[in-house]
Amino acid sequence: MDQKAVSPVAPEAKSARQPLRQEVVDGIKSYILRNKLRPGDPLPTESALCEALGASRSSVREAIRILTALDIVEVRHGHGTYVGRLSMSALVESLTFRGLLSPDDDFQVMADLIEVRELFERGMAERLVEALDTEQIDRLQGHVDVMREAGAGKGHGFVDADRSFHALLVAPLGNDLIGQLSAAFWDVYVIVAPHLDVFTHEHEAATIAQHQRIVDAARARDAVEFAEALSEHYEPVRRRIAEARARR
């Protein structure tokens, strides 16, 4: 990007208590918005940002570190600084870390994520059964088959197959937020699972049957049955979390 094109950031009302680093962070975000930059677009050099923002190199570097952690900018060493993916990675990291910090919060985080995930999947049942193509439905069936083999003691990867199943289920929506929240559920699940009651053979059998019902409904293009199958799938999970919280 031509440094000559970098214009000074218009001054905004500032509070004497506002940390300088936050002013620089806001200035970089304002630059991205004002220039309508997209993920992957280059940002000005460090020296150009210092001049445009009227800030020191240390302040700009600290602001870049903060924005990198939020995935708003991306530093490519040897190449420069670019607009980041603007993903929800910071939220996902915060949710999983919250579960690690507090033995009580982990149940609440997981319960909240289950509710959100079910709302997404059930609320978009009609769109999902229309969007899933035959190949994707066959792949969903493949994940159920892996779960069935693992449940019968003939293989491994029950949880991984379950995770892949739900990731694939919402993939046709093309919604990154839904996909990342679904991934967050599994990250938190790894933390919470040891505190839940033992996952018995009966639980496995019921989980497999519920996933099979979801696949069958998708193949039949039956949105009503699809939504009901999802409800049946999530209800036992919510019950196990509530029972674990009550025991604690």
Side-chain angles (χ1 to χ4, degrees):
M1 180 174 289
D2 187 352
Q3 294 183 29
K4 294 181 180 179
V6 181
S7 58
V9 176
E12 299 176 355
K14 300 177 181 178
S15 167
R17 292 173 296 179
Q18 183 183 33
L20 176 59
R21 69 179 181 182
Q22 188 59 49
E23 293 179 11
V24 180
V25 166
D26 291 342
I28 295 174
K29 290 194 292 186
S30 295
Y31 178 88
I32 294 171
L33 293 173
R34 189 172 63 257
N35 289 276
K36 300 180 179 179
L37 301 184
R38 307 295 301 166
D41 287 347
L43 286 170
T45 63
E46 183 180 277
S47 58
L49 283 173
C50 289
E51 182 179 351
L53 300 173
S56 66
R57 285 183 179 271
S58 60
S59 295
V60 169
R61 287 173 183 171
E62 186 175 7
I64 292 295
R65 283 196 294 270
I66 293 171
L67 293 171
T68 298
L70 296 173
D71 208 14
I72 293 175
V73 304
E74 175 189 0
V75 177
R76 302 177 191 173
H77 296 290
H79 296 278
T81 305
Y82 297 78
V83 179
R85 294 176 301 140
L86 306 177
S87 71
M88 299 299 295
S89 58
L91 171 62
V92 172
E93 185 69 21
S94 175
L95 288 172
T96 54
F97 191 63
R98 175 182 163 191
L100 284 169
L101 280 177
S102 170
D104 210 28
D105 276 354
D106 52 13
F107 290 120
Q108 187 60 51
V109 171
M110 190 171 179
D112 291 345
L113 285 170
I114 287 174
E115 184 175 4
V116 170
R117 197 174 76 167
E118 182 181 2
L119 285 172
F120 281 141
E121 292 178 357
R122 289 190 61 206
M124 298 185 177
E126 188 170 343
R127 283 182 57 189
L128 283 171
V129 296
E130 290 177 357
L132 285 164
D133 59 32
T134 301
E135 180 185 357
Q136 289 168 323
I137 294 174
D138 289 342
R139 287 168 59 197
L140 287 172
Q141 182 63 62
H143 292 313
V144 176
D145 292 341
V146 170
M147 293 169 67
R148 186 174 286 112
E149 291 176 2
K154 300 178 181 178
H156 303 283
F158 190 100
V159 173
D160 288 341
D162 197 349
R163 178 175 190 151
S164 298
F165 180 97
H166 286 278
L168 177 58
L169 191 67
V170 298
L173 296 175
N175 189 309
D176 288 341
L177 175 57
I178 294 177
Q180 289 180 61
L181 285 174
S182 181
F185 165 84
W186 289 103
D187 291 337
V188 176
Y189 178 81
V190 171
I191 300 168
V192 178
H195 303 292
L196 299 178
D197 57 333
V198 177
F199 195 63
T200 66
H201 180 70
E202 287 73 20
H203 287 138
E204 287 183 345
T207 299
I208 293 166
Q210 290 152 4
H211 283 77
Q212 186 64 62
R213 184 182 175 189
I214 293 170
V215 174
D216 293 342
R219 200 179 294 280
R221 307 297 176 183
D222 188 337
V224 174
E225 170 67 10
F226 185 87
E228 291 178 354
L230 286 168
S231 294
E232 180 184 83
H233 170 50
Y234 284 113
E235 177 54 35
V237 183
R238 285 196 299 268
R239 184 170 61 251
R240 290 177 66 206
I241 293 174
E243 291 171 352
R245 292 184 74 177
R247 288 196 301 272
R248 173 168 290 175

